[in-house]
Amino acid sequence: MKLRDALLGCSVGLLRTMARERGLPFEGSTIRSELVDGLAAELTQLAADGKLWRELAAEDRAIVALVAAGRGRHDADLLLRRASRHRSGDLDGAGGMTRVSRLTERGVLFRVFTAGASSSGASYVLPDEYLLTAAPLVENIERNLPIASQLPPVTILESDLRGDCFLLASALRREKWNRAARPLVGRNERSLTRVLAPLGAGSAEITPRRANERWRVLLGLGQQAGWIRGGPWPSPDDDQVSRLLRDPHSLVAMMWAAYCSERISRSAARGMPNSGRVQRGHPARDLLEVVADLPTGSWYHEAELQRWLEGELGWDQGAAGEGTACVGTDGVGRAAARQVRRELCGAWFWLGLVRWGFAADGSALLAVTAAVRVLAERTVEPGPEGDPRLAVLEDQLELVASLGCDLDVLYKLEQYLSFVGGTVERRYLLTAASCSRGVRLGGSADELRSLVRRLAGDELPARWESEVDAWTAAVGRLRADARIVVSASDHESFTRAMDVPAFAAGLEYRLTDCVGWLHPERLAAVLHGLDEAGQPITLGAGLRMEGARVERGAALTAGGAELLWIVLTALRQVDARLVLDLGGAEGLLSALEFVLAPSTRAELDRRAESLAEQVRVRADRAAALRPPRRPMV
């Protein structure tokens, strides 16, 4: 932010206070623009000469150094708490607030309001003209940092967010592909818990019992971030997943933004104590702002880091304001310590923001990663990445790839491959069915070859080439379609039906003595001929409603028509406009009314009324739990 823009955001009263502090003459008739011009010129010159910093007390320079370390921006509520840590004498939390206010009146810091900066939307900033000359303050100030461990870790646990998101998206997508085929082979649909359970088997955890929780949290964050779509089954957005796998830094930023959202981080706010009269900011962003001060190459004992965090975030006795009980290590402070440890062992570890290690004596160590400084805008550009590992092609049409390969290419290639197993080292098999699926999803043989070459870094073996050519060329030669199947209870009944000319002409193929299928376009003539011959026939609900479009009629069999009646009737009972907004819904209800028997409709109406009542109850419950909107001032 430019100095002039910061001054323009100040009130006239504050501008006059700054002018008085700097000895600039003004009168009651001095207009706002004149005050801004005079102060901008004076403060710019003082900052360039270094006088602006030399005239500050040591405690004030420490506060300015905190803002300068964050590239000129710091959460307002957190700065007021941290300001109480850099003090002399008997100053308390209120004294820290007084010092920050004094810096504002002298034109050193400026309080601005930005959406999402904290729970109150307020931040303190240093103008761009100050940052260059304020840099030595950050280097020369006595930093209040925890004592680094002298014992190196012998065991290191770290997470790979990009690899975890690939595993999650891959598992969800594979299950989506297989769900439609499971009933055909007599298998039940798998629950989300069963799909996610194998992922937790290969993940390193500080607390082993939280292995399954990792994937639940990542799934929720992915849905909040938008790269996993909701619905009956969570489905990844392939375009967004590919883009995020190519740019892991955007992935971290997107998942962090989702983690800091109100819905996800509400539980993280529990146990974070309020420091006296200083309002608490966003707990996740506050913790990031403080931890970003730590160098990335140092390891710290867990107890030492916890003690330092308690002080910096204002949970110890010194942060308590007047009339506020000191929390110390009891009560709220102990709850906050447990909550922070849970976050560092959980979401922060899973997002790749911290690494855990264990020394030879068994003590737990922590180190922050470069992602923390990137998220806190302490580093302009992230560090370079190494070259991806190459996959291995085996003669038995197997492909072995690790999570260190080009995951974007592997994710696109998965639609052509059948997954065999593995987490860190994954094994795939090229089969006729998987190759057909890839082509059916919009792929081609050329794309398959290109992806394999990019992933393996070499040409395809001879057997791969021949099988790819054969299987992709054979796609479409074998089909499975919906048909109108007619069956008789015995051979004599089918023979009598064959004596009817219209039935014999409409029979497209006879499978057995009692089973055959009819031509859809001749269904009406067949029914008319059987009626004239006195041969009764029972039609399924889907066939009566969509006789000319067999595929749509097949979707209404096996209870589909009944379920559609229940859903549409319940929607009409909740709000008739919902049915009107659905194009063709009224026509469907009218058609179903003639398809379903009156006795059947009476039972379905009772179920629809029960469903509508459940919808109303849940809507009222959700409205009662929704926090009231705060008036916009």
Side-chain angles (χ1 to χ4, degrees):
M1 174 178 284
K2 297 297 183 182
L3 176 59
R4 182 176 177 81
D5 294 335
L7 290 170
L8 288 173
C10 299
S11 64
V12 176
L14 182 56
L15 291 175
R16 291 180 176 178
T17 301
M18 293 180 188
R20 192 178 300 111
E21 289 287 337
R22 297 302 173 186
L24 297 179
F26 66 92
E27 300 176 354
S29 60
T30 303
I31 62 176
R32 180 190 185 89
S33 60
E34 294 176 343
L35 289 173
V36 170
D37 293 339
L39 284 171
E42 178 69 16
L43 293 173
T44 301
Q45 185 61 40
L46 290 175
D49 297 340
K51 185 178 179 181
L52 187 65
W53 318 121
R54 290 194 299 270
E55 66 184 15
L56 299 177
E59 292 82 358
D60 294 338
R61 287 197 295 271
I63 296 173
V64 174
L66 291 176
V67 183
R71 298 184 63 195
R73 183 178 294 269
H74 199 293
D75 179 83
D77 301 329
L78 177 60
L79 183 65
L80 295 179
R81 296 201 301 273
R82 299 184 75 182
S84 64
R85 300 293 301 172
H86 302 274
R87 61 189 183 275
S88 60
D90 57 353
L91 288 175
D92 55 11
M97 183 184 299
T98 302
R99 287 192 174 276
V100 174
S101 299
R102 180 67 175 168
L103 290 173
T104 303
E105 294 174 353
R106 295 177 66 84
V108 178
L109 296 180
F110 294 87
R111 186 180 176 94
V112 298
F113 294 86
T114 54
S118 68
S119 60
S120 63
S123 301
Y124 283 103
V125 300
L126 279 175
D128 296 341
E129 291 84 348
Y130 292 180
L131 287 179
L132 185 60
T133 58
L137 291 179
V138 182
E139 300 173 358
N140 300 329
I141 199 70
E142 183 179 352
R143 312 252 341 247
N144 178 32
L145 297 178
I147 301 174
S149 171
Q150 300 299 321
L151 296 176
V154 295
T155 303
I156 297 178
L157 299 179
E158 55 185 337
S159 295
D160 178 15
L161 179 61
R162 177 167 55 173
D164 289 346
C165 290
F166 167 81
L167 293 176
L168 178 62
S170 175
L172 294 176
R173 188 174 61 165
R174 287 198 315 274
E175 182 60 26
K176 177 186 175 182
W177 291 337
N178 297 331
R179 284 175 77 83
R182 290 189 186 280
L184 299 178
V185 294
R187 297 180 181 177
N188 297 326
E189 294 183 352
R190 300 173 65 192
S191 64
L192 186 61
T193 302
R194 290 186 59 190
V195 172
L196 299 181
L199 304 181
S203 57
E205 294 293 342
I206 310 303
T207 308
R209 66 175 180 272
R210 300 187 68 183
N212 293 330
E213 183 183 352
R214 170 202 289 251
W215 304 104
R216 289 284 183 177
V217 170
L218 292 180
L219 175 60
L221 293 178
Q223 291 177 323
Q224 183 77 3
W227 59 269
I228 296 180
R229 295 188 293 262
W233 181 259
S235 175
D237 186 323
D238 290 344
D239 292 336
Q240 284 205 50
V241 171
S242 295
R243 180 176 60 83
L244 294 175
L245 291 178
R246 291 193 303 267
D247 187 3
H249 307 292
S250 296
L251 174 62
V252 175
M254 180 180 288
M255 296 290 276
W256 171 255
Y259 171 74
C260 291
S261 65
E262 181 68 21
R263 183 173 67 87
I264 297 296
S265 62
R266 187 177 301 159
S267 61
R270 300 179 190 142
M272 297 290 186
N274 199 337
S275 301
R277 294 177 292 180
V278 181
Q279 184 182 0
R280 181 180 65 238
H282 195 294
R285 298 184 192 276
D286 289 355
L287 189 59
L288 178 74
E289 189 73 36
V290 172
V291 172
D293 290 341
L294 300 176
T296 57
S298 300
W299 290 88
Y300 301 94
H301 284 283
E302 181 185 0
E304 172 67 16
L305 184 62
Q306 189 74 33
R307 179 198 62 77
W308 178 73
L309 288 175
E310 289 178 2
E312 289 297 309
L313 293 172
W315 300 341
D316 58 354
Q317 298 181 8
E322 299 175 358
T324 303
C326 297
V327 296
T329 58
D330 299 327
V332 179
R334 185 181 301 172
R338 288 196 301 266
Q339 182 61 39
V340 167
R341 189 183 193 280
R342 179 177 177 82
E343 294 300 315
L344 294 178
C345 291
W348 279 61
F349 175 64
W350 301 330
L351 293 178
L353 304 181
V354 295
R355 296 186 298 164
W356 282 81
F358 296 93
D361 58 358
S363 59
L365 305 175
L366 278 94
V368 300
T369 65
V372 171
R373 301 186 65 83
V374 173
L375 290 175
E377 298 183 356
R378 305 293 177 86
T379 303
V380 179
E381 295 182 357
E385 297 185 20
D387 295 332
R389 299 178 185 176
L390 298 178
V392 178
L393 301 179
E394 299 183 356
D395 293 336
Q396 301 300 322
L397 299 179
E398 287 192 17
L399 183 145
V400 181
S402 68
L403 292 181
C405 70
D406 191 334
L407 294 181
D408 173 38
V409 176
L410 180 59
Y411 186 77
K412 295 176 181 177
L413 185 61
E414 276 194 328
Q415 71 181 31
Y416 299 97
L417 302 175
S418 176
F419 179 66
V420 177
T423 302
V424 179
E425 187 178 84
R426 301 169 65 81
R427 304 186 72 87
Y428 298 89
L429 185 64
L430 180 68
T431 64
S434 64
C435 194
S436 172
R437 180 186 61 202
V439 176
R440 189 177 67 253
L441 292 175
S444 64
D446 293 337
E447 183 187 41
L448 172 57
R449 292 190 184 92
S450 175
L451 293 174
V452 173
R453 291 192 193 101
R454 290 171 58 187
L455 195 65
D458 198 358
E459 294 296 328
L460 274 69
R463 186 179 177 188
W464 279 73
E465 285 282 4
S466 60
E467 298 293 7
V468 168
D469 289 335
W471 287 336
T472 54
V475 173
R477 295 179 183 175
L478 187 64
R479 291 180 57 85
D481 292 320
R483 295 287 183 180
I484 301 177
V485 178
V486 58
S487 60
S489 59
D490 50 58
H491 175 66
E492 289 76 11
S493 299
F494 200 90
T495 302
R496 288 195 301 270
M498 287 294 295
D499 294 336
V500 178
F503 184 87
L507 190 67
E508 187 175 357
Y509 188 80
R510 186 169 182 174
L511 300 175
T512 66
D513 291 341
C514 302
V515 180
W517 71 58
L518 298 175
H519 198 289
E521 297 179 358
R522 299 177 183 176
L523 176 63
V526 169
L527 297 179
H528 182 70
L530 291 175
D531 182 60
E532 288 185 343
Q535 292 270 8
I537 184 171
T538 303
L539 297 180
L543 186 58
R544 291 198 301 272
M545 188 169 177
E546 294 285 352
R549 289 173 288 188
V550 183
E551 292 80 4
R552 294 183 61 174
L556 295 175
T557 59
E562 291 80 358
L563 181 60
L564 183 59
W565 176 272
I566 293 173
V567 172
L568 292 179
T569 304
L571 280 177
R572 187 162 57 181
Q573 293 181 7
V574 173
D575 190 347
R577 292 172 297 180
L578 296 175
V579 179
L580 294 176
D581 293 339
L582 295 174
E586 283 289 346
L588 283 175
L589 280 173
S590 300
L592 288 170
E593 188 174 354
F594 292 98
V595 168
L596 301 173
S599 58
T600 303
R601 293 202 309 270
E603 174 62 26
L604 298 180
D605 287 340
R606 287 192 291 269
R607 295 173 61 184
E609 185 177 354
S610 175
L611 176 61
E613 183 61 27
Q614 294 181 34
V615 172
R616 295 189 191 98
V617 170
R618 294 188 181 184
D620 295 340
R621 188 180 303 166
L625 295 177
R626 188 180 300 117
R629 292 186 177 182
R630 297 180 179 178
M632 185 68 70
V633 179

